[in-house]
Amino acid sequence: MYAIETNKLSRIYKIKKTRKKPASTLVALNNVDLTVGQGELFGLLGPNGAGKTTLIKILTTILGPSSGTAKVDGLDVEKEAAELRKRINMVSGGETSGYGLLTVRENLWMFTQFYGIPSNQAYPRIDELIKLVGLEEKADTKCSDLSTGLRQKMNIIRGFMTDPQVLFLDEPTLGLDVTAARDIRQFVRGWVDENKSRTLLLTTHYMVEAEELCDRVAIIDKGRVLAVDTPEALKATIKDRSIYTIVVNRLDEDDFASLKSIEGISSGSCKQTETGCRMELAFEEDGVINKLMNFLSERGSSIQTLHKREPSLEDVFIKLVGRSLSDAEKQNGN
């Protein structure tokens, strides 16, 4: 039995007609087939608007599918929703939850009561989790007086209070500083490793987060799952390519589009900076650099720095999607 299993799962939104626009449809998920094994920390990696949150909402019974089926912990998300909700929990990054006038400990106790957990079991669990995420000194502080990072730590704890069989974290480190994000990642990884009957599905658009945390990753874009494997196996699919980070003093979008058509350049992305353009390029062979230098010279541009590096999940995403993750978010309207 898989912890999570979907079969041709789709979700289509009907957009009503307005004065300016005709009626239309938006395909948020398109025939998604996915399996997650028990004990896995599984990641959905993709830009905002790719369909990650829609998938989580279906798996947590918040939203119904338009077609296809989904099971979580062996239960159908539509037919057995009531029983399923007892076994799962969900936390979304950036959300505001709890009551500002209540302290951290009081808020967490309140959530345990929603789930019917006796107080003599709830309080030891609350104190244990508060300690694990480093909130001991803030346990009796009102929620309204917490920083964004500390408030998000409290929200994360809320998801673990019921010790669910399957936990869903939707962008858990969204908007957090480096230190807070690192603490949450360490806690999440430790929770899964502690008990192999637990399963955690994480959505993220942070490449480093997916590489650091996940046993396996599904790359998703425009509602479709494009690839599923371990981070290392996904990166190995482009080991035959030479990956370069190149900074040039100037290069506009039209010239970059022409640059990508140079024979031997398999994929790439470009980010404009104050001093020029930072490119991430994949070459089928190192000799392509000479062609690149001639191309830049013809357009009055020159290389400032050039660095060869190991492939990353970002490079895999560019290979599969044809654009960088940040460019994909812009196209998705985020």
Side-chain angles (χ1 to χ4, degrees):
M1 185 181 72
Y2 293 109
I4 298 170
E5 182 178 10
T6 71
N7 181 33
K8 299 188 182 304
L9 190 68
S10 297
R11 174 67 192 192
I12 300 173
Y13 292 96
K14 294 182 179 180
I15 302 173
K16 293 182 179 181
K17 178 182 178 181
T18 66
R19 290 183 179 180
K20 296 183 178 180
K21 295 182 179 180
S24 61
T25 58
L26 172 65
V27 180
L29 290 178
N30 193 345
N31 289 320
V32 171
D33 293 323
L34 199 63
T35 56
V36 178
Q38 189 179 58
E40 272 196 290
L41 201 167
F42 190 91
L44 290 176
L45 175 64
N48 292 324
K52 305 188 303 295
T53 297
T54 298
L55 178 55
I56 275 195
K57 285 183 176 180
I58 291 175
L59 295 176
T60 55
T61 75
I62 295 172
L63 190 67
S66 300
S67 61
T69 60
K71 290 184 177 182
V72 177
D73 203 31
L75 300 175
D76 187 284
V77 298
E78 290 189 286
K79 299 175 182 177
E80 301 169 287
E83 177 60 29
L84 176 57
R85 289 170 187 155
K86 300 174 184 178
R87 307 186 190 184
I88 63 175
N89 212 332
M90 172 185 173
V91 177
S92 296
E95 71 178 45
T96 301
S97 63
Y99 292 91
L101 293 177
L102 299 181
T103 68
V104 171
R105 184 179 279 108
E106 289 168 343
N107 266 295
L108 292 173
W109 176 84
M110 179 185 66
F111 282 113
T112 66
Q113 301 314 290
F114 295 159
Y115 287 94
I117 301 174
S119 293
N120 62 350
Q121 296 178 23
Y123 280 120
R125 182 67 174 157
I126 290 169
D127 291 339
E128 176 190 4
L129 291 173
I130 283 176
K131 183 177 181 180
L132 281 173
V133 300
L135 273 178
E136 293 171 282
E137 295 183 0
K138 300 294 183 179
D140 297 315
T141 300
K142 290 181 179 180
C143 185
S144 58
D145 295 331
L146 296 177
S147 66
T148 299
L150 294 178
R151 191 161 52 248
Q152 181 61 356
K153 283 185 177 182
M154 186 195 77
N155 288 340
I156 291 292
I157 290 176
R158 176 172 57 81
F160 293 86
M161 285 303 306
T162 59
D163 197 19
Q165 288 295 108
V166 184
L167 178 62
F168 298 87
L169 298 183
D170 189 16
E171 302 282 1
T173 60
L174 183 67
L176 298 185
D177 60 49
V178 174
T179 301
R182 183 193 62 226
D183 290 345
I184 286 176
R185 285 197 292 267
Q186 289 176 346
F187 175 69
V188 166
R189 184 70 255 184
W191 182 80
V192 175
D193 291 341
E194 182 182 63
N195 186 335
K196 288 303 180 181
S197 69
R198 296 167 174 168
T199 303
L200 192 147
L201 189 145
L202 163 84
T203 76
T204 183
H205 64 278
Y206 297 136
M207 297 292 179
V208 173
E209 191 161 86
E211 288 199 49
E212 180 181 330
L213 277 179
C214 300
D215 300 314
R216 286 193 305 144
V217 173
I219 294 179
I220 184 171
D221 185 51
K222 295 182 178 179
R224 289 183 176 272
V225 173
L226 306 178
V228 182
D229 215 324
T230 66
E232 289 305 315
L234 288 171
K235 289 186 287 184
T237 63
I238 55 173
K239 280 288 187 181
D240 60 335
R241 305 181 184 196
S242 300
I243 309 297
Y244 285 87
T245 299
I246 303 172
V247 177
V248 298
N249 60 343
R250 66 187 185 86
L251 193 73
D252 61 31
E253 291 183 3
D254 290 337
D255 283 339
F256 180 70
S258 299
L259 179 152
K260 288 199 296 182
S261 66
I262 295 176
E263 184 178 359
I265 295 181
S266 55
S267 62
S269 65
C270 177
K271 182 179 180 180
Q272 297 295 331
T273 67
E274 293 182 359
T275 57
C277 173
R278 178 188 177 93
M279 298 185 291
E280 306 289 342
L281 298 175
F283 298 161
E284 294 176 3
E285 57 180 356
D286 290 340
V288 179
I289 292 177
N290 293 328
K291 298 179 184 179
L292 173 65
M293 293 180 69
N294 291 335
F295 177 92
L296 294 172
S297 178
E298 291 173 359
R299 286 156 178 77
S301 183
S302 61
I303 295 176
Q304 305 298 301
T305 62
L306 182 149
H307 174 64
K308 187 177 182 179
R309 58 175 177 75
E310 290 296 312
S312 68
L313 282 180
E314 175 79 13
D315 300 314
V316 178
F317 186 88
I318 292 172
K319 174 193 172 185
L320 292 171
V321 179
R323 61 199 190 285
S324 69
L325 192 141
S326 59
D327 287 341
E329 292 192 340
K330 291 177 183 177
Q331 288 188 8
N332 290 344
N334 294 288

